[in-house]
Amino acid sequence: MKSARRKAIDEFCGSGWPDEEIVLFGRAEGDAYDEGFLGIGYQQHKGPLAIYDRDKCIDALAREFATSDSPHDPYTDAVEWFDFNTAGAWVGEQTPLVITRL
C-alpha cells in the first residue's frame, strides 16, 4: 500500500508530466527517500528529472536504520548507504539529481 507522501509525489509527477518517464528513488509504495524528494528539474535534451535533498534522505534513512539491530551508528550507515547505493547509482538518462544545500 502506498504512503500518502508517495501518492502525492506520483500525482505531482503524473499530472505535471503525463507523457514523460520520471524515475524516482526508493520503493514504489514509498520509503525514506520520499522525505527527500524536492520536486522536478528540467535539463535540456533529457526532460524532467526528480530532484532529491541529500541531507533529508540521509536523515530519513538514519531513522530507519536506528530501528535495526546493527551495532553501527545509524547516521554513518545511512551516509554510506546513500552515497554508494543511491547517489552513486546510474539508472539511465533519467537518473534523479541529488543536491546538497548550502
Side-chain angles (χ1 to χ4, degrees):
M1 183 169 171
K2 284 190 180 183
S3 70
R5 175 83 173 149
R6 180 48 73 106
K7 285 180 186 176
I9 291 168
D10 287 347
E11 184 176 310
F12 171 74
C13 293
S15 64
W17 299 269
D19 298 327
E20 302 282 351
E21 178 187 10
I22 298 173
V23 175
L24 300 172
F25 287 144
R27 296 186 309 267
E29 66 272 9
D31 59 18
Y33 290 112
D34 292 347
E35 289 185 41
F37 179 81
L38 294 176
I40 301 296
Y42 191 86
Q43 190 171 17
Q44 188 68 14
H45 305 294
K46 286 192 178 181
L49 301 172
I51 301 174
Y52 287 84
D53 182 306
R54 179 181 185 272
D55 295 328
K56 287 183 179 184
C57 289
I58 289 171
D59 288 344
L61 284 170
R63 285 193 301 276
E64 277 189 7
F65 290 173
T67 63
S68 73
D69 293 333
S70 173
H72 302 109
D73 173 52
Y75 186 82
T76 302
D77 285 349
V79 169
E80 190 174 303
W81 174 267
F82 185 81
D83 286 346
F84 185 80
N85 294 293
T86 307
W90 175 255
V91 293
E93 290 293 319
Q94 299 309 113
T95 298
L97 299 172
V98 176
I99 68 162
T100 303
R101 294 178 185 239
L102 178 64

XYZ file of all heavy atoms in Angstrom:
806
model
N 0.844 -1.187 0.000
C 0.000 0.000 0.000
C 0.891 1.252 0.000
O 1.842 1.341 0.766
C -0.878 -0.019 1.238
C -1.831 1.114 1.298
S -3.007 0.790 2.625
C -3.812 2.332 2.660
N 0.568 2.201 -0.859
C 1.370 3.405 -0.990
C 1.165 4.339 0.194
O 0.060 4.512 0.691
C 1.001 4.163 -2.258
C 1.540 3.556 -3.510
C 1.345 4.482 -4.683
C 1.893 3.827 -5.928
N 1.804 4.710 -7.075
N 2.271 4.979 0.593
C 2.181 6.001 1.634
C 1.504 7.237 1.047
O 1.470 7.431 -0.178
C 3.574 6.362 2.144
O 4.292 7.064 1.138
N 0.998 8.092 1.907
C 0.345 9.317 1.453
C 1.341 10.215 0.707
O 1.000 10.837 -0.302
C -0.262 10.059 2.635
N 2.562 10.259 1.205
C 3.584 11.085 0.559
C 3.894 10.566 -0.848
O 4.012 11.338 -1.793
C 4.853 11.103 1.419
C 6.017 11.827 0.812
C 5.951 13.307 1.025
N 7.199 13.920 0.541
C 7.253 15.121 0.040
N 6.194 15.876 -0.015
N 8.404 15.605 -0.378
N 4.014 9.227 -1.006
C 4.308 8.669 -2.330
C 3.123 8.893 -3.271
O 3.311 9.166 -4.457
C 4.663 7.192 -2.230
C 4.986 6.513 -3.566
C 5.964 7.268 -4.476
N 7.309 7.244 -4.031
C 8.293 6.527 -4.553
N 8.063 5.741 -5.581
N 9.497 6.599 -4.068
N 1.912 8.802 -2.766
C 0.748 9.084 -3.613
C 0.800 10.519 -4.124
O 0.529 10.781 -5.295
C -0.543 8.850 -2.834
C -0.893 7.406 -2.632
C -2.183 7.276 -1.844
C -2.479 5.835 -1.506
N -3.679 5.694 -0.667
N 1.155 11.459 -3.239
C 1.237 12.865 -3.634
C 2.344 13.085 -4.664
O 2.167 13.839 -5.632
C 1.464 13.740 -2.409
N 3.487 12.432 -4.463
C 4.601 12.547 -5.413
C 4.200 11.978 -6.770
O 4.424 12.595 -7.810
C 5.859 11.846 -4.866
C 6.410 12.616 -3.657
C 6.924 11.696 -5.952
C 7.472 11.868 -2.877
N 3.595 10.796 -6.764
C 3.153 10.181 -8.021
C 2.145 11.055 -8.749
O 2.207 11.216 -9.976
C 2.556 8.797 -7.756
C 3.593 7.756 -7.402
O 4.805 8.010 -7.592
O 3.190 6.682 -6.904
N 1.217 11.634 -8.010
C 0.202 12.502 -8.617
C 0.857 13.754 -9.201
O 0.552 14.173 -10.310
C -0.846 12.894 -7.583
C -1.977 13.705 -8.174
C -3.056 14.011 -7.150
O -3.509 13.076 -6.467
O -3.438 15.202 -7.049
N 1.774 14.346 -8.448
C 2.504 15.537 -8.912
C 3.248 15.239 -10.205
O 3.158 15.990 -11.182
C 3.470 15.995 -7.811
C 4.419 17.074 -8.233
C 3.980 18.382 -8.403
C 5.759 16.806 -8.441
C 4.860 19.385 -8.777
C 6.648 17.795 -8.809
C 6.197 19.087 -8.978
N 3.989 14.151 -10.238
C 4.764 13.790 -11.431
C 3.857 13.441 -12.599
O 4.117 13.843 -13.734
C 5.691 12.614 -11.125
S 7.015 13.005 -9.963
N 2.796 12.706 -12.338
C 1.893 12.276 -13.396
C 1.071 13.394 -13.991
O 0.829 13.426 -15.195
N 0.657 14.346 -13.153
C -0.175 15.428 -13.666
C 0.649 16.506 -14.356
O 0.196 17.124 -15.310
C -1.012 16.047 -12.543
O -0.181 16.652 -11.576
N 1.879 16.718 -13.895
C 2.714 17.754 -14.493
C 3.414 17.311 -15.759
O 3.698 18.119 -16.640
N 3.702 16.023 -15.839
C 4.457 15.483 -16.966
C 3.862 14.139 -17.381
O 4.498 13.098 -17.266
C 5.933 15.316 -16.585
C 6.550 16.630 -16.235
C 7.184 17.476 -17.087
C 6.559 17.272 -14.961
N 7.586 18.604 -16.413
C 7.212 18.501 -15.114
C 6.058 16.936 -13.694
C 7.391 19.392 -14.059
C 6.235 17.822 -12.647
C 6.899 19.029 -12.836
N 2.622 14.143 -17.880
C 1.931 12.874 -18.147
C 2.577 12.014 -19.235
O 2.405 10.800 -19.234
C 0.530 13.318 -18.555
C 0.687 14.724 -19.046
C 1.814 15.300 -18.239
N 3.318 12.612 -20.129
C 3.913 11.854 -21.233
C 5.398 11.563 -21.029
O 6.074 11.113 -21.954
C 3.726 12.613 -22.554
C 2.261 12.805 -22.899
O 1.459 11.917 -22.554
O 1.921 13.852 -23.486
N 5.904 11.830 -19.839
C 7.324 11.664 -19.551
C 7.534 10.609 -18.479
O 6.722 10.480 -17.564
C 7.932 12.979 -19.051
C 7.787 14.138 -20.001
C 8.772 14.111 -21.146
O 9.694 13.278 -21.130
O 8.628 14.940 -22.055
N 8.626 9.876 -18.580
C 9.001 8.941 -17.523
C 9.877 9.687 -16.523
O 10.892 10.269 -16.894
C 9.775 7.758 -18.075
C 10.217 6.811 -16.974
C 11.139 5.710 -17.454
O 11.601 5.767 -18.606
O 11.413 4.809 -16.652
N 9.464 9.691 -15.270
C 10.249 10.304 -14.218
C 10.662 9.192 -13.256
O 9.812 8.529 -12.661
C 9.453 11.406 -13.488
C 9.092 12.509 -14.484
C 10.254 11.945 -12.311
C 8.176 13.574 -13.940
N 11.960 8.978 -13.146
C 12.485 7.931 -12.276
C 12.585 8.472 -10.852
O 13.116 9.568 -10.636
C 13.869 7.458 -12.764
C 14.478 6.462 -11.791
C 13.759 6.854 -14.158
N 12.053 7.707 -9.907
C 12.108 8.093 -8.501
C 12.966 7.110 -7.729
O 13.003 5.917 -8.049
C 10.696 8.107 -7.902
C 9.699 9.063 -8.550
C 8.296 8.818 -7.995
C 10.114 10.511 -8.338
N 13.656 7.600 -6.704
C 14.393 6.721 -5.806
C 13.412 6.020 -4.876
O 12.353 6.542 -4.555
C 15.375 7.510 -4.946
C 16.587 8.017 -5.662
C 17.128 9.249 -5.340
C 17.225 7.271 -6.636
C 18.269 9.719 -5.965
C 18.364 7.731 -7.274
C 18.882 8.968 -6.926
N 13.782 4.849 -4.412
C 13.010 4.164 -3.388
C 12.005 3.176 -3.941
O 11.923 2.935 -5.143
N 11.249 2.621 -3.024
C 10.229 1.632 -3.380
C 8.968 2.324 -3.887
O 8.646 3.430 -3.475
C 9.903 0.770 -2.154
C 11.077 -0.068 -1.680
C 10.683 -1.031 -0.558
N 9.992 -0.387 0.536
C 10.585 0.097 1.642
N 11.882 0.010 1.788
N 9.874 0.657 2.589
N 8.254 1.656 -4.749
C 7.055 2.232 -5.371
C 5.968 2.566 -4.356
O 5.176 3.480 -4.573
C 6.498 1.276 -6.426
N 5.947 1.848 -3.240
C 4.922 2.136 -2.235
C 5.339 3.264 -1.292
O 4.555 3.749 -0.495
C 4.554 0.879 -1.438
C 5.673 0.331 -0.578
C 6.594 -0.650 -1.304
O 6.491 -0.813 -2.529
O 7.414 -1.257 -0.612
N 6.614 3.684 -1.396
C 7.103 4.785 -0.566
C 8.094 4.309 0.474
O 8.053 3.172 0.919
N 9.014 5.189 0.823
C 10.011 4.886 1.852
C 10.710 6.182 2.251
O 10.230 7.277 1.964
C 10.993 3.822 1.381
C 11.760 4.192 0.130
O 11.822 5.385 -0.215
O 12.307 3.289 -0.512
N 11.856 6.057 2.895
C 12.578 7.222 3.414
C 12.938 8.224 2.323
O 12.999 9.432 2.581
C 13.846 6.755 4.140
N 13.173 7.773 1.118
C 13.560 8.695 0.049
C 12.468 9.710 -0.265
O 12.768 10.806 -0.734
C 13.937 7.926 -1.217
C 15.226 7.159 -1.076
C 15.233 5.782 -1.061
C 16.429 7.824 -0.941
C 16.413 5.074 -0.929
C 17.622 7.130 -0.801
C 17.601 5.756 -0.798
O 18.774 5.073 -0.653
N 11.240 9.372 0.000
C 10.152 10.310 -0.272
C 10.297 11.595 0.536
O 9.905 12.670 0.086
C 8.799 9.666 0.011
C 8.466 8.561 -0.970
O 9.152 8.458 -2.016
O 7.539 7.787 -0.692
N 10.875 11.504 1.728
C 11.087 12.701 2.551
C 12.091 13.650 1.904
O 12.052 14.854 2.141
C 11.582 12.315 3.943
C 10.534 11.652 4.794
C 11.027 11.391 6.194
O 11.719 12.260 6.772
O 10.719 10.304 6.722
N 12.984 13.114 1.107
C 13.998 13.931 0.458
C 13.610 14.451 -0.911
O 14.349 15.233 -1.514
N 12.451 14.041 -1.424
C 12.009 14.485 -2.751
C 11.674 15.977 -2.696
O 10.875 16.416 -1.880
C 10.776 13.684 -3.192
C 10.233 14.099 -4.533
C 10.809 13.651 -5.698
C 9.137 14.944 -4.612
C 10.315 14.033 -6.941
C 8.630 15.327 -5.845
C 9.214 14.871 -7.009
N 12.318 16.755 -3.566
C 12.087 18.199 -3.597
C 11.169 18.627 -4.725
O 10.448 19.607 -4.610
C 13.418 18.942 -3.747
C 14.389 18.827 -2.592
C 15.691 19.545 -2.931
C 13.779 19.404 -1.328
N 11.240 17.938 -5.832
C 10.441 18.333 -6.978
C 11.084 17.847 -8.262
O 11.845 16.885 -8.267
N 10.785 18.562 -9.336
C 11.248 18.177 -10.663
C 12.075 19.312 -11.258
O 11.702 20.476 -11.164
C 10.040 17.886 -11.599
C 9.175 16.763 -11.030
C 10.499 17.583 -13.010
C 9.861 15.422 -10.937
N 13.189 18.929 -11.854
C 14.007 19.874 -12.604
C 13.980 19.467 -14.064
O 13.538 18.377 -14.416
N 14.432 20.341 -14.897
C 14.408 20.045 -16.328
C 15.786 20.322 -16.900
O 16.356 21.384 -16.681
C 13.360 20.899 -17.040
C 13.116 20.456 -18.452
C 12.204 19.456 -18.734
C 13.810 21.025 -19.500
C 11.985 19.031 -20.036
C 13.597 20.613 -20.803
C 12.684 19.616 -21.068
O 12.471 19.199 -22.351
N 16.311 19.351 -17.612
C 17.600 19.509 -18.254
C 17.398 19.335 -19.752
O 16.754 18.377 -20.193
C 18.590 18.484 -17.714
C 19.997 18.722 -18.147
C 20.962 17.808 -17.422
O 20.580 16.808 -16.843
N 22.226 18.167 -17.467
N 17.939 20.264 -20.512
C 17.794 20.234 -21.958
C 18.194 18.878 -22.529
O 19.216 18.318 -22.148
C 18.671 21.337 -22.584
C 18.462 21.517 -24.049
C 17.091 22.073 -24.398
O 16.356 22.566 -23.569
N 16.731 21.984 -25.660
N 17.363 18.349 -23.390
C 17.571 17.082 -24.085
C 17.466 15.859 -23.170
O 17.754 14.755 -23.603
C 18.908 17.044 -24.845
C 19.075 18.171 -25.806
N 18.293 18.314 -26.928
C 19.914 19.233 -25.798
C 18.650 19.394 -27.580
N 19.630 19.966 -26.913
N 17.127 16.052 -21.915
C 16.945 14.919 -21.011
C 15.529 14.870 -20.455
O 15.092 13.857 -19.979
C 17.939 14.971 -19.850
C 19.341 14.606 -20.254
C 20.185 14.387 -19.037
C 21.571 13.965 -19.445
N 22.419 13.731 -18.279
N 14.843 15.989 -20.475
C 13.496 16.019 -19.934
C 13.487 16.237 -18.444
O 14.477 16.633 -17.841
N 12.340 15.956 -17.820
C 12.205 16.191 -16.386
C 12.966 15.150 -15.566
O 12.974 13.972 -15.901
C 10.693 16.078 -16.146
C 10.203 15.216 -17.253
C 11.100 15.470 -18.417
N 13.617 15.625 -14.501
C 14.374 14.757 -13.609
C 13.937 15.015 -12.168
O 13.801 16.170 -11.758
C 15.877 15.031 -13.718
C 16.516 14.847 -15.088
C 17.954 15.354 -15.066
C 16.466 13.406 -15.525
N 13.739 13.949 -11.413
C 13.427 14.088 -9.996
C 14.640 14.667 -9.278
O 15.782 14.370 -9.618
C 13.052 12.738 -9.404
N 14.383 15.500 -8.287
C 15.456 16.111 -7.501
C 15.261 15.744 -6.035
O 14.158 15.857 -5.495
C 15.459 17.641 -7.660
C 15.642 18.022 -9.125
C 16.549 18.265 -6.783
C 15.507 19.504 -9.383
N 16.358 15.305 -5.414
C 16.332 14.894 -4.015
C 17.336 15.694 -3.202
O 18.421 16.021 -3.682
C 16.677 13.404 -3.891
C 15.566 12.508 -4.360
C 15.421 12.190 -5.703
C 14.651 11.974 -3.457
C 14.394 11.371 -6.138
C 13.622 11.157 -3.888
C 13.498 10.863 -5.218
O 12.481 10.056 -5.645
N 16.987 15.969 -1.958
C 17.865 16.619 -0.999
C 18.660 15.537 -0.270
O 18.086 14.697 0.431
C 17.024 17.427 -0.011
C 17.849 18.175 1.007
O 18.695 17.535 1.689
O 17.625 19.378 1.176
N 19.975 15.544 -0.448
C 20.847 14.518 0.133
C 20.680 14.419 1.649
O 20.529 13.334 2.206
C 22.302 14.821 -0.213
C 23.298 13.824 0.360
C 24.738 14.222 -0.008
N 25.694 13.226 0.433
C 26.244 13.225 1.642
N 25.942 14.164 2.518
N 27.100 12.267 1.971
N 20.719 15.558 2.337
C 20.660 15.546 3.802
C 19.329 15.013 4.324
O 19.288 14.263 5.304
C 20.931 16.940 4.364
C 22.352 17.407 4.078
O 23.258 16.550 4.020
O 22.555 18.622 3.918
N 18.230 15.391 3.661
C 16.925 14.884 4.091
C 16.818 13.374 3.891
O 16.259 12.668 4.721
C 15.789 15.597 3.345
C 15.567 17.012 3.809
C 14.384 17.621 3.092
C 14.128 19.033 3.575
N 12.924 19.601 2.965
N 17.338 12.896 2.781
C 17.327 11.449 2.534
C 18.148 10.712 3.581
O 17.710 9.697 4.132
C 17.862 11.132 1.136
S 16.775 11.590 -0.222
N 19.333 11.221 3.867
C 20.201 10.565 4.843
C 19.572 10.581 6.236
O 19.601 9.574 6.948
C 21.605 11.209 4.835
C 22.318 10.815 3.539
C 22.411 10.780 6.061
C 23.624 11.537 3.296
N 18.986 11.698 6.621
C 18.328 11.762 7.936
C 17.198 10.737 8.034
O 17.045 10.061 9.058
C 17.781 13.165 8.202
C 18.868 14.185 8.478
O 20.025 13.785 8.766
O 18.570 15.400 8.397
N 16.406 10.618 6.980
C 15.296 9.656 6.988
C 15.823 8.223 7.006
O 15.281 7.371 7.727
C 14.396 9.887 5.772
N 16.867 7.947 6.245
C 17.464 6.613 6.265
C 18.040 6.297 7.648
O 17.899 5.172 8.142
C 18.575 6.506 5.216
C 18.143 6.352 3.771
C 19.344 6.520 2.850
C 17.465 5.018 3.546
N 18.680 7.270 8.275
C 19.257 7.052 9.607
C 18.171 6.682 10.612
O 18.376 5.810 11.465
C 20.026 8.288 10.062
N 17.019 7.316 10.512
C 15.890 6.953 11.405
C 15.450 5.518 11.149
O 15.156 4.780 12.083
C 14.732 7.926 11.230
C 14.973 9.268 11.873
C 13.706 10.110 11.967
N 13.103 10.374 10.670
C 13.473 11.353 9.849
N 14.468 12.154 10.176
N 12.858 11.539 8.698
N 15.415 5.115 9.878
C 15.062 3.723 9.561
C 16.122 2.761 10.089
O 15.803 1.733 10.671
C 14.921 3.530 8.052
C 13.596 3.918 7.501
C 13.426 3.497 6.045
O 14.295 2.788 5.486
O 12.404 3.884 5.466
N 17.397 3.100 9.876
C 18.479 2.228 10.311
C 18.550 2.133 11.832
O 19.027 1.138 12.368
C 19.823 2.706 9.756
C 19.987 2.524 8.268
C 21.085 3.041 7.617
C 19.054 1.840 7.506
C 21.263 2.878 6.246
C 19.206 1.665 6.141
C 20.315 2.193 5.513
N 18.098 3.148 12.540
C 18.136 3.147 14.002
C 17.228 2.073 14.586
O 17.411 1.657 15.731
C 17.751 4.522 14.546
N 16.278 1.608 13.813
C 15.363 0.571 14.295
C 15.905 -0.827 14.062
O 15.299 -1.804 14.491
C 13.977 0.698 13.621
O 14.132 0.490 12.213
C 13.355 2.056 13.890
N 17.060 -0.936 13.401
C 17.636 -2.258 13.137
C 18.506 -2.694 14.321
O 18.772 -1.925 15.240
C 18.477 -2.236 11.860
O 19.678 -1.544 12.090
N 18.947 -3.922 14.272
C 19.786 -4.466 15.341
C 21.271 -4.235 15.092
O 22.107 -4.803 15.786
C 19.541 -5.981 15.483
C 18.134 -6.270 15.975
O 17.566 -5.409 16.669
O 17.616 -7.356 15.659
N 21.614 -3.415 14.134
C 23.019 -3.183 13.790
C 23.740 -2.474 14.936
O 23.206 -1.534 15.528
C 23.112 -2.330 12.522
O 24.453 -1.968 12.274
N 24.963 -2.893 15.232
C 25.738 -2.229 16.279
C 26.380 -0.920 15.805
O 26.954 -0.193 16.599
C 26.812 -3.260 16.619
C 27.026 -4.000 15.351
C 25.671 -4.049 14.683
N 26.269 -0.612 14.521
C 26.904 0.573 13.952
C 26.046 1.815 14.171
O 24.845 1.733 14.408
C 27.151 0.377 12.457
C 27.996 -0.808 12.154
N 27.495 -1.946 11.572
C 29.314 -1.042 12.363
C 28.455 -2.831 11.436
N 29.576 -2.314 11.917
N 26.688 2.970 14.025
C 25.987 4.248 14.116
C 25.029 4.382 12.937
O 25.461 4.278 11.774
C 27.005 5.389 14.093
C 26.350 6.746 14.015
O 25.464 7.028 14.836
O 26.727 7.528 13.111
N 23.738 4.595 13.188
C 22.770 4.653 12.083
C 23.042 5.785 11.088
O 22.820 5.614 9.895
C 21.418 4.844 12.762
C 21.657 4.907 14.205
C 23.101 4.714 14.484
N 23.536 6.918 11.567
C 23.804 8.022 10.649
C 24.967 7.679 9.715
O 24.895 7.911 8.507
C 24.086 9.324 11.413
C 24.231 10.495 10.481
C 23.109 11.155 9.985
C 25.483 10.929 10.059
C 23.228 12.210 9.099
C 25.614 11.988 9.175
C 24.482 12.629 8.701
O 24.598 13.675 7.814
N 26.024 7.104 10.261
C 27.172 6.698 9.445
C 26.748 5.654 8.420
O 27.140 5.731 7.248
C 28.302 6.144 10.342
O 28.679 7.159 11.279
C 29.504 5.729 9.516
N 25.948 4.689 8.849
C 25.441 3.677 7.923
C 24.589 4.315 6.829
O 24.667 3.926 5.659
C 24.613 2.622 8.662
C 25.459 1.650 9.449
O 26.695 1.643 9.273
O 24.875 0.885 10.245
N 23.772 5.298 7.201
C 22.900 5.962 6.228
C 23.715 6.730 5.192
O 23.402 6.688 3.996
C 21.921 6.897 6.939
N 24.755 7.422 5.636
C 25.616 8.160 4.703
C 26.273 7.192 3.730
O 26.267 7.406 2.507
C 26.690 8.977 5.468
C 27.748 9.508 4.501
C 26.049 10.120 6.235
N 26.827 6.120 4.267
C 27.494 5.137 3.420
C 26.519 4.512 2.423
O 26.812 4.381 1.232
C 28.111 4.053 4.301
C 29.018 3.116 3.564
C 29.727 2.157 4.514
O 30.415 2.637 5.435
O 29.571 0.936 4.313
N 25.348 4.138 2.898
C 24.328 3.529 2.043
C 23.910 4.495 0.935
O 23.863 4.143 -0.236
C 23.116 3.109 2.869
C 21.997 2.611 2.019
C 20.943 3.326 1.530
C 21.832 1.283 1.508
N 20.137 2.537 0.753
C 20.669 1.273 0.721
C 22.565 0.111 1.648
C 20.216 0.127 0.085
C 22.114 -1.020 0.998
C 20.947 -1.006 0.234
N 23.588 5.729 1.319
C 23.099 6.694 0.352
C 24.162 7.018 -0.701
O 23.875 7.026 -1.895
C 22.638 7.985 1.045
C 22.014 8.952 0.088
C 20.693 8.815 -0.309
C 22.752 9.988 -0.450
C 20.118 9.696 -1.215
C 22.185 10.875 -1.356
C 20.870 10.719 -1.735
N 25.379 7.304 -0.249
C 26.424 7.686 -1.194
C 26.737 6.575 -2.186
O 26.937 6.837 -3.368
C 27.695 8.097 -0.451
C 27.563 9.468 0.198
O 26.621 10.209 -0.135
O 28.420 9.793 1.035
N 26.774 5.339 -1.730
C 27.125 4.234 -2.625
C 25.936 3.748 -3.441
O 26.023 3.607 -4.651
C 27.717 3.068 -1.823
C 28.196 1.949 -2.698
C 29.420 2.032 -3.343
C 27.412 0.819 -2.901
C 29.866 1.008 -4.172
C 27.849 -0.215 -3.725
C 29.072 -0.119 -4.358
N 24.820 3.486 -2.783
C 23.673 2.823 -3.435
C 22.686 3.765 -4.103
O 21.868 3.324 -4.903
C 22.920 1.970 -2.415
C 23.765 0.831 -1.927
O 24.097 -0.074 -2.666
N 24.156 0.901 -0.659
N 22.736 5.033 -3.760
C 21.753 5.960 -4.308
C 22.431 7.034 -5.147
O 22.291 7.054 -6.363
C 20.919 6.583 -3.178
O 20.367 5.533 -2.375
C 19.791 7.427 -3.726
N 23.182 7.914 -4.510
C 23.850 8.985 -5.258
C 24.846 8.412 -6.261
O 25.062 8.984 -7.322
C 24.543 9.945 -4.296
N 25.417 7.266 -5.945
C 26.385 6.640 -6.832
C 25.779 5.721 -7.873
O 26.498 5.126 -8.672
N 24.469 5.608 -7.882
C 23.798 4.699 -8.822
C 23.494 5.413 -10.142
O 23.182 6.593 -10.162
C 22.504 4.185 -8.213
N 23.576 4.667 -11.209
C 23.171 5.160 -12.531
C 22.046 4.271 -13.009
O 22.217 3.071 -13.152
C 24.351 5.114 -13.503
C 23.967 5.503 -14.904
C 23.801 4.659 -15.960
C 23.689 6.813 -15.383
N 23.446 5.371 -17.089
C 23.364 6.708 -16.750
C 23.669 8.073 -14.788
C 23.040 7.808 -17.528
C 23.346 9.163 -15.577
C 23.038 9.023 -16.926
N 20.884 4.870 -13.227
C 19.735 4.097 -13.693
C 19.268 4.582 -15.061
O 18.122 4.414 -15.431
C 18.571 4.112 -12.663
C 18.965 3.379 -11.405
C 18.122 5.532 -12.340
N 20.175 5.199 -15.788
C 19.853 5.659 -17.132
C 19.793 7.174 -17.207
O 20.088 7.892 -16.255
N 19.392 7.652 -18.367
C 19.343 9.093 -18.637
C 18.440 9.854 -17.664
O 18.622 11.042 -17.459
C 18.879 9.352 -20.070
C 19.888 8.947 -21.119
C 21.139 9.814 -21.073
O 21.041 11.043 -20.888
O 22.235 9.242 -21.218
N 17.480 9.181 -17.089
C 16.539 9.835 -16.178
C 16.935 9.671 -14.714
O 16.127 9.884 -13.820
C 15.128 9.296 -16.407
C 14.579 9.519 -17.806
C 14.693 10.947 -18.283
O 15.433 11.231 -19.205
N 13.985 11.861 -17.664
N 18.183 9.299 -14.459
C 18.650 9.171 -13.070
C 18.382 10.473 -12.331
O 18.742 11.553 -12.824
C 20.159 8.846 -13.037
O 20.374 7.585 -13.679
C 20.679 8.778 -11.616
N 17.745 10.404 -11.168
C 17.453 11.632 -10.408
C 18.719 12.400 -10.025
O 19.804 11.823 -9.923
C 16.745 11.102 -9.155
C 16.140 9.810 -9.588
C 17.138 9.225 -10.544
N 18.533 13.681 -9.796
C 19.610 14.553 -9.332
C 19.593 14.590 -7.808
O 18.527 14.572 -7.194
C 19.414 15.965 -9.864
C 19.413 16.134 -11.369
C 19.006 17.556 -11.745
C 20.778 15.815 -11.924
N 20.760 14.656 -7.213
C 20.894 14.781 -5.762
C 21.582 16.111 -5.498
O 22.632 16.390 -6.067
C 21.722 13.622 -5.181
C 21.947 13.813 -3.694
C 21.045 12.293 -5.453
N 20.981 16.919 -4.622
C 21.593 18.205 -4.286
C 21.995 18.208 -2.820
O 21.429 17.491 -2.000
C 20.675 19.408 -4.583
C 19.470 19.419 -3.648
C 20.232 19.414 -6.037
C 18.784 20.750 -3.578
N 22.994 19.015 -2.536
C 23.384 19.312 -1.171
C 23.201 20.810 -1.002
O 23.781 21.595 -1.758
C 24.848 18.914 -0.907
O 24.996 17.529 -1.194
C 25.242 19.185 0.531
N 22.387 21.170 -0.036
C 22.076 22.598 0.155
C 23.225 23.335 0.834
O 23.968 22.746 1.590
C 20.820 22.760 0.995
C 19.581 22.234 0.299
C 18.396 22.391 1.218
N 17.215 21.794 0.655
C 16.106 22.481 0.407
N 16.024 23.745 0.691
N 15.064 21.845 -0.110
N 23.299 24.615 0.549
C 24.293 25.491 1.159
C 23.997 25.641 2.634
O 22.885 25.770 3.051
C 24.276 26.849 0.472
C 25.212 27.911 0.991
C 26.665 27.489 0.800
C 24.957 29.224 0.294
